[in-house]
Amino acid sequence: MNNPTQTSAGPDGSLTSAPAPVSPIATSRTRGPRLSGVTWLVWRQHRAGFWTLLAATAVTVALLVHQRADMLDHLTAHGYGRPDSASDEWLAGIHPQRLQFVSYGFGFIPLVLGVFLGAPLLAGDLENGTAKLVASQSVSPSRWLATKLVVSALVVIVCTAALSIAFGRWWGPVKYEATVLGWSDGPAFDNTGPVPVALTLFTVVSGVAIGMLLRRTLISMIVTFAFAVVVQVVWHFQRLNLGHVITVTTDKGVGPGAPRVPLPEAALEIDHWLLSSSGQTYGWGTCAHETSQKVCTQKYDLVGWSVDYLPISQMSSMQWFGASILFALTAAVAVFIFIWGRKRLV
């Protein structure tokens, strides 16, 4: 469409035309950041999945914020935290069940995004020939790969970080209640802090690598599903190894009347041992087959207990340590994608 012109008389009486003033509204429409080039192409290609993920995250975060406010009102109504109140009265409500239900659901996010976002990201283009079309243009394979990974990673990071913050704030007021969610268990540990971001990003980028190697969407999704399950299992068994175990001992006896070993609030007890005066430890069932506790105490010269535990104060450091390992693995997989994809992408 041609720009409108205005006609006016010149000094010699002749008619001249000049462009009409541009409307400020039209000028403002062209300003501001806009996607272009490969970034626009990647976003447009996957916009349905990206917008669905962002919208679902926004709705979920709003619901979690509402649940937190509702739970705080519930705790206040039951006098939670007051010295004269029973700390478990609030458990009769539905909030513990909601926390548990949501936390278990969030545990599937890395698997779902790895299968439905990561695996098809390159496998679909390689299978339907889009990769060859892109390679025939002026865009280099490295730039195309980088844009694909960066845009997808940013969406994953924004969504998982928002969910982590919202869920952490919801769980925060009752984090010391092990009967609701134990801080060292997956439903709490893996859904707060940097862990959900790191776990999801690693699974998604690994799914991209699997799709690049297999070059078929369906088989890539199946293999990524199996890979994500293995990652979750390995992470489950290695989670407690991220912390520094603390040992506390007593020398007040081991009988029924002996005082319990003092542990910090919400501490996770790893193991406990019978302790002799020489410092040697015996399994807690050592006296099970003795005739009496007194005979066992004299036989092994027992003086107290030795308890290994992890305090809740280590939760944040454990999460960041584990997340740093996952981020490093993610970076290694991304480097492999670039090295492999630069020459073998098409």
Side-chain angles (χ1 to χ4, degrees), residues 145-194:
L145 285 172
T147 306
K148 280 262 189 179
L149 288 177
V150 170
V151 173
S152 302
L154 284 176
V155 173
V156 169
I157 291 172
V158 168
C159 293
T160 51
L163 293 175
S164 173
I165 294 172
F167 183 81
R169 286 180 55 80
W170 183 22
W171 174 65
V174 294
K175 66 187 299 182
Y176 289 95
E177 295 290 342
T179 55
V180 179
L181 289 179
W183 68 268
S184 60
D185 296 332
F189 192 92
D190 297 349
N191 292 323
T192 57

mmCIF file of all heavy atoms in Angstrom, residues 145-194:
data_model
loop_
_atom_site.group_PDB
_atom_site.id
_atom_site.type_symbol
_atom_site.label_atom_id
_atom_site.label_comp_id
_atom_site.label_asym_id
_atom_site.label_seq_id
_atom_site.Cartn_x
_atom_site.Cartn_y
_atom_site.Cartn_z
ATOM 1 N N LEU A 145 20.748 -25.215 15.272
ATOM 2 C CA LEU A 145 20.769 -26.018 16.491
ATOM 3 C C LEU A 145 20.751 -25.130 17.737
ATOM 4 O O LEU A 145 20.026 -25.397 18.703
ATOM 5 C CB LEU A 145 22.003 -26.919 16.511
ATOM 6 C CG LEU A 145 21.986 -28.142 15.607
ATOM 7 C CD1 LEU A 145 23.357 -28.811 15.606
ATOM 8 C CD2 LEU A 145 20.930 -29.131 16.059
ATOM 9 N N ALA A 146 21.578 -24.097 17.715
ATOM 10 C CA ALA A 146 21.658 -23.211 18.875
ATOM 11 C C ALA A 146 20.312 -22.548 19.149
ATOM 12 O O ALA A 146 19.876 -22.457 20.304
ATOM 13 C CB ALA A 146 22.733 -22.152 18.649
ATOM 14 N N THR A 147 19.649 -22.078 18.099
ATOM 15 C CA THR A 147 18.358 -21.423 18.286
ATOM 16 C C THR A 147 17.321 -22.400 18.813
ATOM 17 O O THR A 147 16.538 -22.072 19.712
ATOM 18 C CB THR A 147 17.877 -20.812 16.957
ATOM 19 O OG1 THR A 147 18.895 -19.963 16.426
ATOM 20 C CG2 THR A 147 16.611 -20.015 17.173
ATOM 21 N N LYS A 148 17.304 -23.604 18.264
ATOM 22 C CA LYS A 148 16.370 -24.629 18.729
ATOM 23 C C LYS A 148 16.554 -24.909 20.221
ATOM 24 O O LYS A 148 15.593 -24.935 21.002
ATOM 25 C CB LYS A 148 16.590 -25.923 17.941
ATOM 26 C CG LYS A 148 15.963 -25.952 16.578
ATOM 27 C CD LYS A 148 14.634 -26.674 16.641
ATOM 28 C CE LYS A 148 14.069 -26.909 15.263
ATOM 29 N NZ LYS A 148 12.787 -27.640 15.304
ATOM 30 N N LEU A 149 17.814 -25.115 20.627
ATOM 31 C CA LEU A 149 18.097 -25.456 22.019
ATOM 32 C C LEU A 149 17.834 -24.283 22.952
ATOM 33 O O LEU A 149 17.249 -24.447 24.027
ATOM 34 C CB LEU A 149 19.543 -25.933 22.158
ATOM 35 C CG LEU A 149 19.862 -27.315 21.588
ATOM 36 C CD1 LEU A 149 21.348 -27.615 21.731
ATOM 37 C CD2 LEU A 149 19.040 -28.402 22.271
ATOM 38 N N VAL A 150 18.277 -23.096 22.550
ATOM 39 C CA VAL A 150 18.162 -21.937 23.444
ATOM 40 C C VAL A 150 16.703 -21.563 23.665
ATOM 41 O O VAL A 150 16.282 -21.335 24.812
ATOM 42 C CB VAL A 150 18.954 -20.741 22.875
ATOM 43 C CG1 VAL A 150 18.630 -19.478 23.656
ATOM 44 C CG2 VAL A 150 20.446 -21.019 22.929
ATOM 45 N N VAL A 151 15.918 -21.491 22.609
ATOM 46 C CA VAL A 151 14.512 -21.115 22.759
ATOM 47 C C VAL A 151 13.769 -22.144 23.615
ATOM 48 O O VAL A 151 13.020 -21.794 24.539
ATOM 49 C CB VAL A 151 13.840 -20.972 21.381
ATOM 50 C CG1 VAL A 151 12.340 -20.759 21.535
ATOM 51 C CG2 VAL A 151 14.454 -19.813 20.611
ATOM 52 N N SER A 152 13.986 -23.414 23.328
ATOM 53 C CA SER A 152 13.320 -24.459 24.111
ATOM 54 C C SER A 152 13.783 -24.443 25.561
ATOM 55 O O SER A 152 12.978 -24.589 26.491
ATOM 56 C CB SER A 152 13.598 -25.834 23.489
ATOM 57 O OG SER A 152 13.164 -25.881 22.148
ATOM 58 N N ALA A 153 15.091 -24.265 25.775
ATOM 59 C CA ALA A 153 15.629 -24.245 27.137
ATOM 60 C C ALA A 153 15.073 -23.066 27.931
ATOM 61 O O ALA A 153 14.754 -23.200 29.119
ATOM 62 C CB ALA A 153 17.153 -24.193 27.104
ATOM 63 N N LEU A 154 14.950 -21.909 27.290
ATOM 64 C CA LEU A 154 14.409 -20.747 27.990
ATOM 65 C C LEU A 154 12.966 -20.982 28.431
ATOM 66 O O LEU A 154 12.581 -20.630 29.557
ATOM 67 C CB LEU A 154 14.488 -19.517 27.088
ATOM 68 C CG LEU A 154 15.871 -18.886 26.920
ATOM 69 C CD1 LEU A 154 15.816 -17.728 25.931
ATOM 70 C CD2 LEU A 154 16.419 -18.403 28.259
ATOM 71 N N VAL A 155 12.164 -21.578 27.569
ATOM 72 C CA VAL A 155 10.778 -21.879 27.939
ATOM 73 C C VAL A 155 10.744 -22.857 29.104
ATOM 74 O O VAL A 155 9.984 -22.681 30.072
ATOM 75 C CB VAL A 155 10.008 -22.434 26.728
ATOM 76 C CG1 VAL A 155 8.616 -22.899 27.148
ATOM 77 C CG2 VAL A 155 9.900 -21.392 25.635
ATOM 78 N N VAL A 156 11.568 -23.887 29.045
ATOM 79 C CA VAL A 156 11.615 -24.886 30.124
ATOM 80 C C VAL A 156 12.066 -24.250 31.433
ATOM 81 O O VAL A 156 11.483 -24.490 32.499
ATOM 82 C CB VAL A 156 12.552 -26.047 29.735
ATOM 83 C CG1 VAL A 156 12.815 -26.954 30.939
ATOM 84 C CG2 VAL A 156 11.943 -26.857 28.595
ATOM 85 N N ILE A 157 13.097 -23.425 31.377
ATOM 86 C CA ILE A 157 13.629 -22.796 32.598
ATOM 87 C C ILE A 157 12.587 -21.872 33.220
ATOM 88 O O ILE A 157 12.359 -21.890 34.440
ATOM 89 C CB ILE A 157 14.927 -22.034 32.279
ATOM 90 C CG1 ILE A 157 16.043 -23.027 31.937
ATOM 91 C CG2 ILE A 157 15.339 -21.162 33.453
ATOM 92 C CD1 ILE A 157 17.305 -22.362 31.422
ATOM 93 N N VAL A 158 11.949 -21.040 32.397
ATOM 94 C CA VAL A 158 10.955 -20.101 32.927
ATOM 95 C C VAL A 158 9.800 -20.849 33.595
ATOM 96 O O VAL A 158 9.376 -20.516 34.713
ATOM 97 C CB VAL A 158 10.430 -19.189 31.795
ATOM 98 C CG1 VAL A 158 9.207 -18.411 32.249
ATOM 99 C CG2 VAL A 158 11.521 -18.231 31.346
ATOM 100 N N CYS A 159 9.309 -21.869 32.939
ATOM 101 C CA CYS A 159 8.148 -22.602 33.468
ATOM 102 C C CYS A 159 8.492 -23.383 34.736
ATOM 103 O O CYS A 159 7.776 -23.308 35.742
ATOM 104 C CB CYS A 159 7.598 -23.544 32.399
ATOM 105 S SG CYS A 159 6.861 -22.700 30.977
ATOM 106 N N THR A 160 9.574 -24.137 34.708
ATOM 107 C CA THR A 160 9.924 -24.945 35.880
ATOM 108 C C THR A 160 10.363 -24.079 37.055
ATOM 109 O O THR A 160 10.077 -24.413 38.214
ATOM 110 C CB THR A 160 11.031 -25.944 35.526
ATOM 111 O OG1 THR A 160 12.127 -25.256 34.894
ATOM 112 C CG2 THR A 160 10.510 -27.010 34.575
ATOM 113 N N ALA A 161 11.045 -22.968 36.785
ATOM 114 C CA ALA A 161 11.441 -22.079 37.877
ATOM 115 C C ALA A 161 10.208 -21.460 38.535
ATOM 116 O O ALA A 161 10.142 -21.343 39.766
ATOM 117 C CB ALA A 161 12.366 -20.983 37.353
ATOM 118 N N ALA A 162 9.236 -21.048 37.734
ATOM 119 C CA ALA A 162 8.007 -20.473 38.298
ATOM 120 C C ALA A 162 7.259 -21.493 39.148
ATOM 121 O O ALA A 162 6.788 -21.186 40.252
ATOM 122 C CB ALA A 162 7.113 -19.960 37.169
ATOM 123 N N LEU A 163 7.162 -22.722 38.670
ATOM 124 C CA LEU A 163 6.485 -23.768 39.436
ATOM 125 C C LEU A 163 7.248 -24.100 40.713
ATOM 126 O O LEU A 163 6.650 -24.331 41.771
ATOM 127 C CB LEU A 163 6.331 -25.022 38.572
ATOM 128 C CG LEU A 163 5.385 -24.911 37.376
ATOM 129 C CD1 LEU A 163 5.426 -26.180 36.541
ATOM 130 C CD2 LEU A 163 3.956 -24.633 37.839
ATOM 131 N N SER A 164 8.576 -24.127 40.632
ATOM 132 C CA SER A 164 9.386 -24.419 41.808
ATOM 133 C C SER A 164 9.195 -23.365 42.894
ATOM 134 O O SER A 164 9.031 -23.679 44.077
ATOM 135 C CB SER A 164 10.861 -24.509 41.409
ATOM 136 O OG SER A 164 11.690 -24.625 42.556
ATOM 137 N N ILE A 165 9.223 -22.099 42.497
ATOM 138 C CA ILE A 165 9.055 -21.014 43.470
ATOM 139 C C ILE A 165 7.662 -21.057 44.095
ATOM 140 O O ILE A 165 7.500 -20.938 45.323
ATOM 141 C CB ILE A 165 9.308 -19.659 42.791
ATOM 142 C CG1 ILE A 165 10.780 -19.546 42.362
ATOM 143 C CG2 ILE A 165 8.940 -18.507 43.728
ATOM 144 C CD1 ILE A 165 11.072 -18.328 41.514
ATOM 145 N N ALA A 166 6.645 -21.243 43.266
ATOM 146 C CA ALA A 166 5.274 -21.255 43.780
ATOM 147 C C ALA A 166 5.039 -22.442 44.710
ATOM 148 O O ALA A 166 4.430 -22.295 45.785
ATOM 149 C CB ALA A 166 4.285 -21.286 42.611
ATOM 150 N N PHE A 167 5.517 -23.619 44.326
ATOM 151 C CA PHE A 167 5.311 -24.791 45.185
ATOM 152 C C PHE A 167 6.128 -24.665 46.467
ATOM 153 O O PHE A 167 5.664 -25.048 47.547
ATOM 154 C CB PHE A 167 5.702 -26.069 44.436
ATOM 155 C CG PHE A 167 5.457 -27.316 45.233
ATOM 156 C CD1 PHE A 167 4.192 -27.870 45.299
ATOM 157 C CD2 PHE A 167 6.487 -27.938 45.926
ATOM 158 C CE1 PHE A 167 3.949 -29.011 46.055
ATOM 159 C CE2 PHE A 167 6.261 -29.077 46.676
ATOM 160 C CZ PHE A 167 4.986 -29.620 46.736
ATOM 161 N N GLY A 168 7.347 -24.140 46.370
ATOM 162 C CA GLY A 168 8.172 -23.963 47.561
ATOM 163 C C GLY A 168 7.541 -23.017 48.561
ATOM 164 O O GLY A 168 7.603 -23.245 49.779
ATOM 165 N N ARG A 169 6.914 -21.951 48.084
ATOM 166 C CA ARG A 169 6.246 -21.012 48.984
ATOM 167 C C ARG A 169 5.005 -21.641 49.614
ATOM 168 O O ARG A 169 4.661 -21.337 50.759
ATOM 169 C CB ARG A 169 5.875 -19.738 48.225
ATOM 170 C CG ARG A 169 7.074 -18.848 47.936
ATOM 171 C CD ARG A 169 6.648 -17.593 47.182
ATOM 172 N NE ARG A 169 5.602 -16.862 47.873
ATOM 173 C CZ ARG A 169 5.800 -16.040 48.897
ATOM 174 N NH1 ARG A 169 7.024 -15.858 49.363
ATOM 175 N NH2 ARG A 169 4.782 -15.398 49.463
ATOM 176 N N TRP A 170 4.335 -22.497 48.874
ATOM 177 C CA TRP A 170 3.169 -23.191 49.436
ATOM 178 C C TRP A 170 3.596 -24.160 50.536
ATOM 179 O O TRP A 170 2.982 -24.227 51.597
ATOM 180 C CB TRP A 170 2.435 -23.908 48.314
ATOM 181 C CG TRP A 170 1.176 -24.616 48.734
ATOM 182 C CD1 TRP A 170 0.406 -24.360 49.839
ATOM 183 C CD2 TRP A 170 0.517 -25.683 48.041
ATOM 184 N NE1 TRP A 170 -0.678 -25.205 49.885
ATOM 185 C CE2 TRP A 170 -0.632 -26.022 48.794
ATOM 186 C CE3 TRP A 170 0.792 -26.371 46.864
ATOM 187 C CZ2 TRP A 170 -1.510 -27.030 48.402
ATOM 188 C CZ3 TRP A 170 -0.081 -27.369 46.465
ATOM 189 C CH2 TRP A 170 -1.225 -27.701 47.218
ATOM 190 N N TRP A 171 4.659 -24.902 50.300
ATOM 191 C CA TRP A 171 5.112 -25.904 51.258
ATOM 192 C C TRP A 171 5.906 -25.293 52.414
ATOM 193 O O TRP A 171 5.996 -25.876 53.500
ATOM 194 C CB TRP A 171 5.973 -26.945 50.518
ATOM 195 C CG TRP A 171 6.626 -27.952 51.397
ATOM 196 C CD1 TRP A 171 6.026 -28.904 52.166
ATOM 197 C CD2 TRP A 171 8.037 -28.122 51.604
ATOM 198 N NE1 TRP A 171 6.967 -29.662 52.825
ATOM 199 C CE2 TRP A 171 8.207 -29.198 52.491
ATOM 200 C CE3 TRP A 171 9.168 -27.470 51.093
ATOM 201 C CZ2 TRP A 171 9.464 -29.636 52.890
ATOM 202 C CZ3 TRP A 171 10.414 -27.904 51.494
ATOM 203 C CH2 TRP A 171 10.563 -28.969 52.387
ATOM 204 N N GLY A 172 6.475 -24.125 52.221
ATOM 205 C CA GLY A 172 7.365 -23.516 53.193
ATOM 206 C C GLY A 172 6.839 -23.432 54.611
ATOM 207 O O GLY A 172 7.543 -23.794 55.565
ATOM 208 N N PRO A 173 5.599 -22.966 54.855
ATOM 209 C CA PRO A 173 5.121 -22.837 56.230
ATOM 210 C C PRO A 173 5.056 -24.156 57.002
ATOM 211 O O PRO A 173 5.027 -24.129 58.236
ATOM 212 C CB PRO A 173 3.717 -22.226 56.053
ATOM 213 C CG PRO A 173 3.779 -21.516 54.745
ATOM 214 C CD PRO A 173 4.676 -22.363 53.886
ATOM 215 N N VAL A 174 5.010 -25.302 56.314
ATOM 216 C CA VAL A 174 4.904 -26.589 57.014
ATOM 217 C C VAL A 174 6.059 -27.508 56.633
ATOM 218 O O VAL A 174 5.931 -28.741 56.713
ATOM 219 C CB VAL A 174 3.550 -27.270 56.703
ATOM 220 C CG1 VAL A 174 2.405 -26.464 57.280
ATOM 221 C CG2 VAL A 174 3.367 -27.446 55.193
ATOM 222 N N LYS A 175 7.185 -26.940 56.238
ATOM 223 C CA LYS A 175 8.306 -27.755 55.781
ATOM 224 C C LYS A 175 8.897 -28.622 56.888
ATOM 225 O O LYS A 175 9.582 -29.612 56.603
ATOM 226 C CB LYS A 175 9.378 -26.863 55.166
ATOM 227 C CG LYS A 175 10.044 -25.929 56.152
ATOM 228 C CD LYS A 175 10.977 -24.949 55.455
ATOM 229 C CE LYS A 175 12.089 -25.646 54.718
ATOM 230 N NZ LYS A 175 13.027 -24.696 54.089
ATOM 231 N N TYR A 176 8.660 -28.265 58.151
ATOM 232 C CA TYR A 176 9.189 -29.050 59.261
ATOM 233 C C TYR A 176 8.263 -30.203 59.658
ATOM 234 O O TYR A 176 8.596 -30.976 60.550
ATOM 235 C CB TYR A 176 9.439 -28.153 60.479
ATOM 236 C CG TYR A 176 10.614 -27.227 60.299
ATOM 237 C CD1 TYR A 176 10.436 -25.921 59.839
ATOM 238 C CD2 TYR A 176 11.914 -27.651 60.569
ATOM 239 C CE1 TYR A 176 11.510 -25.071 59.656
ATOM 240 C CE2 TYR A 176 13.001 -26.801 60.392
ATOM 241 C CZ TYR A 176 12.785 -25.515 59.939
ATOM 242 O OH TYR A 176 13.864 -24.673 59.754
ATOM 243 N N GLU A 177 7.131 -30.321 58.997
ATOM 244 C CA GLU A 177 6.186 -31.392 59.288
ATOM 245 C C GLU A 177 6.483 -32.592 58.388
ATOM 246 O O GLU A 177 6.088 -32.635 57.229
ATOM 247 C CB GLU A 177 4.745 -30.914 59.072
ATOM 248 C CG GLU A 177 4.301 -29.816 60.011
ATOM 249 C CD GLU A 177 4.133 -30.308 61.432
ATOM 250 O OE1 GLU A 177 4.026 -31.534 61.646
ATOM 251 O OE2 GLU A 177 4.101 -29.459 62.337
ATOM 252 N N ALA A 178 7.214 -33.559 58.939
ATOM 253 C CA ALA A 178 7.589 -34.732 58.136
ATOM 254 C C ALA A 178 6.389 -35.575 57.759
ATOM 255 O O ALA A 178 6.439 -36.334 56.783
ATOM 256 C CB ALA A 178 8.598 -35.578 58.911
ATOM 257 N N THR A 179 5.288 -35.466 58.515
ATOM 258 C CA THR A 179 4.103 -36.256 58.191
ATOM 259 C C THR A 179 3.383 -35.726 56.953
ATOM 260 O O THR A 179 2.532 -36.408 56.395
ATOM 261 C CB THR A 179 3.122 -36.245 59.379
ATOM 262 O OG1 THR A 179 2.831 -34.886 59.736
ATOM 263 C CG2 THR A 179 3.726 -36.959 60.585
ATOM 264 N N VAL A 180 3.726 -34.521 56.524
ATOM 265 C CA VAL A 180 3.121 -33.959 55.310
ATOM 266 C C VAL A 180 3.999 -34.292 54.105
ATOM 267 O O VAL A 180 3.599 -35.038 53.209
ATOM 268 C CB VAL A 180 2.948 -32.434 55.445
ATOM 269 C CG1 VAL A 180 2.338 -31.859 54.167
ATOM 270 C CG2 VAL A 180 2.083 -32.106 56.643
ATOM 271 N N LEU A 181 5.194 -33.722 54.081
ATOM 272 C CA LEU A 181 6.189 -34.029 53.055
ATOM 273 C C LEU A 181 7.558 -34.020 53.725
ATOM 274 O O LEU A 181 7.967 -32.986 54.258
ATOM 275 C CB LEU A 181 6.166 -33.003 51.913
ATOM 276 C CG LEU A 181 4.983 -32.996 50.956
ATOM 277 C CD1 LEU A 181 5.158 -31.882 49.930
ATOM 278 C CD2 LEU A 181 4.815 -34.326 50.257
ATOM 279 N N GLY A 182 8.249 -35.147 53.708
ATOM 280 C CA GLY A 182 9.597 -35.176 54.240
ATOM 281 C C GLY A 182 10.536 -34.388 53.338
ATOM 282 O O GLY A 182 10.522 -34.572 52.116
ATOM 283 N N TRP A 183 11.342 -33.510 53.917
ATOM 284 C CA TRP A 183 12.174 -32.628 53.094
ATOM 285 C C TRP A 183 13.170 -33.398 52.241
ATOM 286 O O TRP A 183 13.569 -32.921 51.174
ATOM 287 C CB TRP A 183 12.923 -31.632 53.984
ATOM 288 C CG TRP A 183 13.986 -32.252 54.859
ATOM 289 C CD1 TRP A 183 13.841 -32.697 56.134
ATOM 290 C CD2 TRP A 183 15.356 -32.489 54.512
ATOM 291 N NE1 TRP A 183 15.023 -33.206 56.616
ATOM 292 C CE2 TRP A 183 15.972 -33.089 55.639
ATOM 293 C CE3 TRP A 183 16.115 -32.261 53.374
ATOM 294 C CZ2 TRP A 183 17.327 -33.465 55.647
ATOM 295 C CZ3 TRP A 183 17.458 -32.634 53.379
ATOM 296 C CH2 TRP A 183 18.055 -33.224 54.500
ATOM 297 N N SER A 184 13.581 -34.585 52.654
ATOM 298 C CA SER A 184 14.567 -35.361 51.906
ATOM 299 C C SER A 184 13.935 -36.274 50.863
ATOM 300 O O SER A 184 14.650 -36.910 50.081
ATOM 301 C CB SER A 184 15.409 -36.203 52.863
ATOM 302 O OG SER A 184 14.576 -37.109 53.585
ATOM 303 N N ASP A 185 12.621 -36.357 50.839
ATOM 304 C CA ASP A 185 11.934 -37.212 49.872
ATOM 305 C C ASP A 185 11.723 -36.469 48.557
ATOM 306 O O ASP A 185 11.689 -35.230 48.522
ATOM 307 C CB ASP A 185 10.584 -37.674 50.433
ATOM 308 C CG ASP A 185 10.749 -38.548 51.675
ATOM 309 O OD1 ASP A 185 11.787 -39.213 51.782
ATOM 310 O OD2 ASP A 185 9.841 -38.529 52.539
ATOM 311 N N GLY A 186 11.523 -37.228 47.502
ATOM 312 C CA GLY A 186 11.372 -36.643 46.178
ATOM 313 C C GLY A 186 10.267 -35.614 46.046
ATOM 314 O O GLY A 186 10.472 -34.567 45.420
ATOM 315 N N PRO A 187 9.068 -35.852 46.614
ATOM 316 C CA PRO A 187 7.987 -34.876 46.441
ATOM 317 C C PRO A 187 8.325 -33.478 46.918
ATOM 318 O O PRO A 187 7.803 -32.501 46.376
ATOM 319 C CB PRO A 187 6.852 -35.484 47.287
ATOM 320 C CG PRO A 187 7.095 -36.952 47.218
ATOM 321 C CD PRO A 187 8.592 -37.096 47.236
ATOM 322 N N ALA A 188 9.192 -33.344 47.921
ATOM 323 C CA ALA A 188 9.600 -32.012 48.385
ATOM 324 C C ALA A 188 10.947 -31.612 47.804
ATOM 325 O O ALA A 188 11.104 -30.507 47.277
ATOM 326 C CB ALA A 188 9.666 -31.988 49.914
ATOM 327 N N PHE A 189 11.928 -32.491 47.881
ATOM 328 C CA PHE A 189 13.289 -32.161 47.459
ATOM 329 C C PHE A 189 13.366 -31.890 45.970
ATOM 330 O O PHE A 189 14.061 -30.955 45.538
ATOM 331 C CB PHE A 189 14.222 -33.324 47.827
ATOM 332 C CG PHE A 189 15.682 -33.005 47.698
ATOM 333 C CD1 PHE A 189 16.397 -32.522 48.777
ATOM 334 C CD2 PHE A 189 16.355 -33.202 46.507
ATOM 335 C CE1 PHE A 189 17.747 -32.230 48.675
ATOM 336 C CE2 PHE A 189 17.698 -32.911 46.380
ATOM 337 C CZ PHE A 189 18.397 -32.430 47.469
ATOM 338 N N ASP A 190 12.660 -32.663 45.170
ATOM 339 C CA ASP A 190 12.765 -32.553 43.709
ATOM 340 C C ASP A 190 11.832 -31.516 43.104
ATOM 341 O O ASP A 190 11.896 -31.284 41.892
ATOM 342 C CB ASP A 190 12.483 -33.908 43.068
ATOM 343 C CG ASP A 190 13.506 -34.961 43.459
ATOM 344 O OD1 ASP A 190 14.535 -34.591 44.038
ATOM 345 O OD2 ASP A 190 13.259 -36.156 43.210
ATOM 346 N N ASN A 191 10.974 -30.906 43.903
ATOM 347 C CA ASN A 191 10.019 -29.934 43.374
ATOM 348 C C ASN A 191 10.251 -28.527 43.884
ATOM 349 O O ASN A 191 9.422 -27.637 43.632
ATOM 350 C CB ASN A 191 8.585 -30.369 43.719
ATOM 351 C CG ASN A 191 8.165 -31.619 42.978
ATOM 352 O OD1 ASN A 191 8.509 -31.815 41.818
ATOM 353 N ND2 ASN A 191 7.439 -32.492 43.653
ATOM 354 N N THR A 192 11.345 -28.302 44.589
ATOM 355 C CA THR A 192 11.662 -26.974 45.109
ATOM 356 C C THR A 192 13.114 -26.630 44.775
ATOM 357 O O THR A 192 13.909 -27.509 44.435
ATOM 358 C CB THR A 192 11.462 -26.910 46.632
ATOM 359 O OG1 THR A 192 12.280 -27.915 47.273
ATOM 360 C CG2 THR A 192 10.012 -27.141 47.005
ATOM 361 N N GLY A 193 13.440 -25.344 44.882
ATOM 362 C CA GLY A 193 14.808 -24.924 44.610
ATOM 363 C C GLY A 193 15.180 -25.115 43.146
ATOM 364 O O GLY A 193 14.323 -25.109 42.249
ATOM 365 N N PRO A 194 16.464 -25.344 42.869
ATOM 366 C CA PRO A 194 16.912 -25.485 41.480
ATOM 367 C C PRO A 194 16.736 -26.891 40.912
ATOM 368 O O PRO A 194 16.968 -27.097 39.722
ATOM 369 C CB PRO A 194 18.395 -25.128 41.564
ATOM 370 C CG PRO A 194 18.795 -25.585 42.939
ATOM 371 C CD PRO A 194 17.590 -25.335 43.818
#
